Amino acid sequence: MRLPDRKETEVRALLESVPPVPVPTDLAARALARGLRLAHRRRAVALLLWAFFAAAVAFAVWAAVTEPWMGEPAQTTPPLGW
């Protein structure tokens, strides 16, 4: 048999001296509701970020294909001789 540990004895005395704190009866329901809200919010943010990423990729592909920064070609040719 082992001797009682001093720390264990102090913890047991502390736990036995303090009256238990009453837990609200709706604590589980509130925790579930908060967890669902957080999950929905995270899912919405992730969906929004994926949509933004898809729009950025679509814009990059469109810009690479159409090259909107290039001006329209001139209708007349420059003179050949200076």
Side-chain angles (χ1 to χ4, degrees):
M1 191 164 162
R2 65 183 187 131
L3 295 173
D5 187 18
R6 179 185 58 85
K7 290 182 181 180
E8 181 181 344
T9 307
E10 288 178 4
V11 169
R12 285 184 187 275
L14 181 67
L15 289 175
E16 291 171 357
S17 68
V18 177
V21 178
V23 178
T25 56
D26 64 337
L27 181 64
R30 289 189 312 186
L32 177 66
R34 183 168 188 242
L36 288 175
R37 276 195 314 269
L38 287 175
H40 288 150
R41 186 174 298 140
R42 284 181 184 159
R43 189 176 302 132
V45 167
L47 183 64
L48 185 65
L49 287 176
W50 275 111
F52 178 72
F53 177 71
V57 168
F59 176 76
V61 169
W62 170 79
V65 171
T66 61
E67 297 178 350
W69 54 87
M70 300 293 289
E72 292 187 19
Q75 298 297 329
T76 60
T77 58
L80 293 177
W82 290 79

